């Protein structure tokens, strides 16, 4: 585990203590931490993001997480982190409207996750059929919009579920 600044060293030490982490590195880029993690897959990017964000203080910007291939060789370094393509980074997207905020809240409660972003993958959060039913039921109770469990499953994220709700809500 390579670190280049005292703050990065502290973050790398913390991340290295998390479950399943085999190697990690961190870099601060444009006031956002980017953390690369090589792990055994026991923990998903969203859970790592939330644990690291809590460690950093949730009043700041959520860190971007890059999960690297567990079979890749070579040590992770800050330079590797900074070179990770934006599409490889798991970023937190705040809810953009009231419906997304509601759906993110339901998903957070149902999956017992501290922070759910609008674009987070339901299955990275540990959603199962009971969570999908809970989400569908809460949406029906709040908006009187009926979503089938299959639709929620296929939507896959709070933002896409919110789009379904908004499309079926009378204006």
């Amino acid at each position: 585990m390579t670190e280049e600044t005292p703050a990065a060293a502290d973050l790398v030490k913390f991340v290295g203590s998390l479950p399943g982490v085999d190697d990690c590195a961190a870099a601060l880029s444009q006031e956002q931490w980017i953390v690369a993690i090589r792990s055994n897959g026991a923990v998903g990017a969203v859970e790592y993001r939330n644990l690291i964000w809590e460690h950093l203080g949730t009043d700041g910007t959520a860190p971007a997480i890059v999960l690297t291939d567990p079979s890749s060789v070579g040590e992770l370094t800050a330079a590797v982190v900074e070179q990770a393509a934006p599409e490889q980074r798991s970023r937190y997207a705040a809810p953009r409207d009231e419906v997304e905020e509601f759906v993110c809240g339901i998903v957070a409660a149902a999956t017992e996750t501290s922070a759910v972003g609008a674009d987070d993958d339901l299955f990275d959060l540990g959603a199962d059929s009971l969570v999908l039913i809970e989400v569908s039921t809460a949406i029906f109770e709040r908006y009187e919009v009926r979503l089938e469990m299959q639709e929620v499953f296929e939507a896959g994220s709070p933002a896409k579920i919110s789009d379904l709700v908004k499309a079926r809500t009378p204006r």
Side-chain angles (χ1 to χ4, degrees):
M1 293 180 225
T2 301
E3 56 275 346
E4 296 184 7
T5 68
D10 175 61
L11 185 55
V12 166
K13 182 178 179 183
F14 171 76
V15 175
S17 73
L18 295 175
V21 174
D22 296 327
D23 193 13
C24 63
L28 189 60
S29 177
Q30 300 176 359
E31 299 185 28
Q32 179 184 36
W33 283 104
I34 304 169
V35 181
I37 300 171
R38 184 179 301 131
S39 77
N40 62 17
V43 177
V46 173
E47 188 173 346
Y48 280 133
R49 180 198 67 213
N50 289 342
L51 290 168
I52 295 165
W53 197 8
E54 186 176 304
H55 173 75
L56 294 171
T58 54
D59 54 335
T61 303
I65 305 300
V66 179
L67 292 180
T68 64
D69 183 354
S71 65
S72 64
V73 292
E75 185 177 31
L76 292 177
T77 65
V80 170
V81 174
E82 290 171 340
Q83 294 169 5
E87 63 273 7
Q88 289 181 302
R89 300 174 186 175
S90 173
R91 295 188 183 269
Y92 174 79
R96 295 167 277 263
D97 59 35
E98 181 267 332
V99 177
E100 282 186 6
E101 189 173 325
F102 179 76
V103 174
C104 286
I106 295 166
V107 172
T111 60
E112 299 178 355
T113 303
S114 59
V116 171
D119 297 328
D120 287 351
D121 185 284
L122 293 177
F123 304 100
D124 283 349
L125 297 166
D128 57 16
S129 58
L130 295 175
V131 168
L132 301 180
I133 291 169
E134 203 170 320
V135 170
S136 297
T137 301
I139 288 170
F140 181 73
E141 290 172 354
R142 172 88 177 249
Y143 297 103
E144 296 183 0
V145 170
R146 189 173 307 279
L147 296 178
E148 299 299 323
M149 198 165 70
Q150 184 68 28
E151 291 176 293
V152 176
F153 172 81
E154 290 173 358
S157 72
K160 291 178 182 173
I161 294 168
S162 298
D163 289 344
L164 293 171
V165 172
K166 290 182 265 190
R168 296 179 189 176
T169 303
R171 306 231 179 245

